Each structure stands twice: as C-alpha cells, then as structure tokens.
C-alpha cells in the first residue's frame, strides 16, 4: 500500500489495520485491484461496502444465523465466516425456501436479489420478513431489506471480495470448538472484536435484540436457472458518500416460517 502511490487514501481507510489483524484477507482485497469489497460484521449486525482503499461507502443493517459460531455442517443454523468472493447476482423474487424435511413455502423468501458467494449454502439476499432485520434468526444466509439489497447489487461485481467477520460470541464458540476464524475491524479507530466477551455457549438463552433459536434447520440455496442470472456490470456504479445506516427494525412477532425456492442447493 505504501508503494502504491495512493498511501494517503489507504491510510484513511481500514486496510492498514486489516494488514495487521488479518494479513491474508488484506492481501486478497488488494489483489482484487479496482474492486470494492464487503465486510459482514456479525458482532455489529451490519454489512459495510468499501471503496478499494477501505473507506466506507455504504452500510446496512442485517439479519444472520440463529446460532453463534461459524458453520461446521449442514443444518446447523450458523453463518459461515471467512474471506470469499462473489460468484454471481441472481433475480430471486420467485425462489422458495425448502427445509430439511422437504417442506416448501411461498415465493419471496429471498427477496428480489440473491448474491451468491463461492462457498456452499451461503448468500446475501433480501427477505420476505423485514422485521427480521437486526436479529439472529436466519438459517445461515445474510439478509438485508429488499430496498437495501436492490441498492447494494448496483455496486457488486463478480469476484468482489466478501469478508464475514465473527462477533465476540461467535469467536467464543469457535474457540471452544477449535475452529478459530479471523476477526477484522470494520471502522477506522474502532478495534476488532476479541473472544471471551461472552460465555462460550453455542445456544445462549438470548436476551437483547439478537435472540438465538435452538431448533435445527438450514437455509438451502436454490439452484439458479440460466434465466435468473443478472449480468453484473463490469463497471459498477459509483457509490455516493457513506450514508448513515438505516435504523434497525425492532423485533415484532416471530418471523413466519421461511419460504422455499426451485431446486435447493445440497451440501
């Protein structure tokens, strides 16, 4: 970064700190060249969109998996952590959710767009339940409001790096299971999360605005037919300066049963 001729820009963003906290992630981001990148912060329940220098352009409230820790197996209701890439963006308004018992719901569970990552059974998508945003309620995927996913995909390109960073409770579970995942700082001047803040219990009884359910189940991803693929612009749109994040929706009544999609992806 210091030899790039753009150090002043890098120095204002999060990449210098990422180079210390997670050098392999930083290297992958830098190798992406002109691409923006995304960090999903499970501790803050936020998705951040950054310019190539690590400066925040957008931030969105999210929902993620019910249970703490990184995904270990199918149906464990955890959100995978690590550094990935965007595989594609899909029109998903007619996709349905099918649970592990073969029960299929109505169209709309995945919202209008689905960002598929290069790792099994994980994606970033809209939702048929806006009240779930800000809570840990999904079967593994990362949810945004439908309006936010439609905005986000304007800036997404195939190959864009996506980092999913654990929160402190996730880190405690990972440590207990000897499955440590790297954590990264998502805001300049705000240190990354460290493990040990919470008791290492994969199924905590909850409290707060991120309750954890104990039932099993996993969010299977539908197989996208050719007609569903959205061509991602090679030159994604220029983002406006960072906007304040939407206020998180309170958690009204429990979310209705998730809804299924054409043939779901199996692990």
């Amino acid at each position: 970064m210091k030899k790039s001729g753009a150090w002043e820009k890098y120095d204002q963003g999060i990449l210098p700190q990422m180079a210390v906290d997670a050098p392999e992630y930083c290297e992958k981001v830098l190798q992406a060249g002109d691409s923006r990148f995304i960090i999903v912060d499970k501790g803050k329940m936020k998705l951040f969109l950054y310019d190539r220098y690590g400066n925040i352009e957008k931030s969105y409230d999210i929902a993620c998996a019910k249970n703490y820790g990184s995904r270990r197996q199918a149906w464990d209701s955890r959100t995978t952590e690590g550094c990935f890439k965007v595989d594609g963006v899909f029109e998903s308004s007619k996709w349905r959710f099918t649970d592990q018992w073969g029960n299929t719901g109505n169209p709309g569970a995945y919202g209008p767009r689905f960002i598929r990552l290069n790792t099994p059974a994980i994606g970033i998508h809209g939702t048929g339940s806006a009240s779930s945003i800000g809570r840990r309620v999904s079967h593994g995927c990362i949810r945004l409001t439908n309006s936010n996913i439609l905005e986000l995909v304007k800036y997404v390109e195939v190959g864009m790096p996506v980092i999913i960073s654990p929160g402190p409770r996730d880190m405690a579970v990972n440590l207990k299971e000897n499955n440590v995942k790297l954590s990264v700082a998502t805001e300049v001047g705000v240190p990354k999360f460290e493990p040990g803040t919470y008791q290492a219990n994969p199924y905590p009884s909850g409290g707060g605005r991120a309750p954890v359910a104990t039932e099993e189940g996993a969010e299977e991803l539908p197989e996208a037919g050719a007609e569903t693929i959205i061509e991602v612009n090679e030159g994604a749109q220029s983002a406006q300066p960072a906007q304040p994040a939407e206020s998180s929706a309170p958690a009204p009544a429990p979310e209705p049963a998730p809804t299924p999609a054409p043939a779901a992806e199996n692990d």
Side-chain angles (χ1 to χ4, degrees):
M1 286 182 281
K2 290 186 176 180
K3 297 180 180 180
S4 68
W7 171 245
E8 289 184 2
K9 294 181 179 178
Y10 281 117
D11 193 39
Q12 295 173 7
I14 64 165
L15 288 175
Q17 186 59 47
M18 189 187 296
V20 175
D21 296 337
E24 61 191 85
Y25 291 1
C26 185
E27 183 64 25
K28 290 179 179 179
V29 169
L30 292 173
Q31 287 175 352
D34 292 337
S35 177
R36 296 179 172 88
F37 64 97
I38 287 170
I39 299 180
V40 175
D41 190 324
K42 292 171 66 178
K44 295 178 181 176
M45 298 295 285
K46 297 278 188 182
L47 181 152
F48 295 93
L49 174 70
Y50 299 86
D51 67 17
R52 62 174 296 189
Y53 303 106
N55 300 295
I56 295 174
E57 291 188 327
K58 301 281 184 182
S59 67
Y60 306 101
D61 294 329
I62 65 165
C64 66
K66 302 170 184 176
N67 297 326
Y68 291 110
S70 185
R71 186 175 188 268
R72 301 292 300 274
Q73 59 187 13
W75 314 111
D76 66 2
S77 292
R78 298 185 185 188
T79 297
T80 305
E81 298 155 8
C83 187
F84 310 105
K85 292 181 179 180
V86 171
D87 260 0
V89 178
F90 302 87
E91 207 294 330
S92 55
S93 57
K94 295 182 180 179
W95 288 10
R96 303 168 184 265
F97 173 79
T98 301
D99 66 21
Q100 66 190 103
W101 299 282
N103 301 311
T104 298
N106 298 318
Y110 297 92
R113 299 291 184 272
F114 190 103
I115 301 171
R116 191 183 294 275
L117 307 182
N118 66 334
T119 185
I122 184 71
I124 303 169
H125 59 78
T127 179
S129 178
S131 64
S132 69
I133 303 301
R135 303 168 60 206
R136 298 195 67 138
V137 293
S138 85
H139 297 84
C141 283
I142 297 143
R143 303 177 187 174
L144 278 68
T145 64
N146 290 342
S147 59
N148 284 346
I149 193 69
L150 287 172
E151 179 178 84
L152 177 62
V153 297
K154 295 175 183 178
Y155 311 109
V156 169
E157 302 175 78
V158 171
M160 174 186 284
V162 177
I163 296 169
I164 303 177
S165 183
R169 289 190 180 185
D170 300 295
M171 298 179 77
V173 172
N174 293 340
L175 186 62
K176 183 179 180 180
E177 296 178 346
N178 195 28
N179 184 36
V180 175
K181 301 293 182 179
L182 295 174
S183 172
V184 296
T186 51
E187 298 176 86
V188 174
V190 180
K192 67 175 183 176
F193 286 118
E194 299 288 351
T197 307
Y198 298 93
Q199 185 178 8
N201 177 1
Y203 304 114
S205 57
R209 57 191 291 269
V212 175
T214 59
E215 69 267 25
E216 293 185 354
E219 193 160 9
E220 295 184 335
L221 308 189
E223 291 290 353
E227 73 283 357
T228 65
I229 298 175
I230 295 175
E231 293 186 4
V232 183
N233 296 331
E234 291 184 3
Q237 292 190 12
S238 299
Q240 298 300 315
Q243 302 292 322
E246 287 186 4
S247 58
S248 300
E255 177 184 4
T259 23
E265 182 176 85
N266 294 317
D267 297 311

